[in-house]
Amino acid sequence: MKILVVGGTGLLGGHAALYLQALGHDVTLAARSPAHPATALAALPSLSSTNVATTSATWGGSVTSDGGAPITERGIKYRVAGSTGAYTSVTASGTTGSFTVNVTGLTPSTTYQFYAYAVNSAGEGRTSEERSVTTLAPVTVPAAPTALSANVGG
């Protein structure tokens, strides 16, 4: 069974993820940051979202296996949630292991779906389950104060 463990790099989520993997499930981690490389969790596929702003975000994932052929491309694909349009790709350098990409040009207050992927000579494979994140609303100038009062005294 495919299972997405949200908070999977934390203490409880990490233990749950490793337990489910030991039972034979296909586990993907979703967390604010990738698992520490020196832990068993680093071997599991992961997906992270950090630094979400009004028009940008840092998204990341991990490629845990090259599938028997060299990785020629890896990165994140995203689109507006609920859209049936094509995904936009943002590539990352490297082959296997954790990576992050900075995505710019996003629309404020919009929910996006994204996933990590890798490509080798056999084709493209998703290295994570899809996840959603909403960009922040734009910051505006505050309204002018109303109901002003003054006290005159001596």
Side-chain angles (χ1 to χ4, degrees):
M1 172 185 291
K2 285 188 161 202
I3 298 174
L4 176 66
V5 178
V6 177
T9 59
L11 178 64
L12 295 176
H15 284 290
L18 292 173
Y19 176 75
L20 292 166
Q21 181 194 34
L23 293 176
H25 297 288
D26 183 6
V27 178
T28 298
L29 304 176
R32 286 184 294 246
S33 58
H36 189 278
T39 67
L41 293 173
L44 294 174
S46 66
L47 189 62
S48 63
S49 176
T50 60
N51 301 322
V52 177
T54 54
T55 60
S56 65
T58 301
W59 292 330
S62 66
V63 179
T64 57
S65 170
D66 64 10
I71 300 292
T72 57
E73 181 181 318
R74 70 177 182 167
I76 296 290
K77 289 196 174 188
Y78 71 94
R79 68 179 177 189
V80 173
S83 166
T84 57
Y87 285 88
T88 299
S89 299
V90 181
T91 59
S93 62
T95 57
T96 58
S98 296
F99 65 90
T100 60
V101 295
N102 295 313
V103 181
T104 59
L106 303 174
T107 303
S109 303
T110 302
T111 301
Y112 290 89
Q113 299 168 298
F114 69 102
Y115 66 90
Y117 74 96
V119 177
N120 67 12
S121 60
E124 178 183 306
R126 287 186 180 202
T127 64
S128 72
E129 297 293 320
E130 198 164 83
R131 188 167 174 203
S132 296
V133 66
T134 302
T135 52
L136 301 178
V139 177
T140 60
V141 176
T146 59
L148 296 175
S149 63
N151 291 326
V152 178

